[in-house]
Amino acid sequence: MHFDEQIDTRGTKCPMPVLKTKKALAKMQTGEVLMVLATDPASVADLAQFASQTGHKILSQDEVNGEWHHYIEHK
């Protein structure tokens, strides 16, 4: 999947994946896609809730070899 920016939150636990995602999205433009690498299984629910509350769109959340790849479109 195409993405414009990528952040690596592997090895961190809640709330760090959400905080790093929020900071990265703040620097992006509408329609751009952020790819978030994570190892915390809770990041699936946490980032989905964050997107729902802030108006961003989860495009995909896939597990790949024990890591989560989240694709979030900036609102």
Side-chain angles (χ1 to χ4, degrees):
M1 179 177 287
H2 166 79
F3 57 90
D4 300 290
E5 297 288 335
Q6 176 181 321
I7 59 170
D8 186 350
T9 68
R10 293 177 290 188
T12 66
K13 299 279 184 191
C14 182
M16 289 310 296
V18 172
L19 294 175
K20 288 183 175 187
T21 297
K22 180 179 179 181
K23 185 176 179 180
L25 285 168
K27 299 175 184 176
M28 297 175 69
Q29 301 298 314
T30 300
E32 290 185 323
V33 176
L34 175 66
M35 193 258 213
V36 181
L37 295 169
T39 50
D40 183 3
S43 67
V44 176
D46 294 344
L47 289 174
Q49 182 178 14
F50 166 76
S52 174
Q53 292 175 343
T54 58
H56 300 297
K57 182 179 178 183
I58 297 287
L59 300 177
S60 176
Q61 293 180 301
D62 303 309
E63 185 177 7
V64 179
N65 298 325
E67 296 179 353
W68 287 95
H69 295 188
H70 307 275
Y71 295 88
I72 305 170
E73 183 179 351
H74 190 289
K75 66 176 179 181

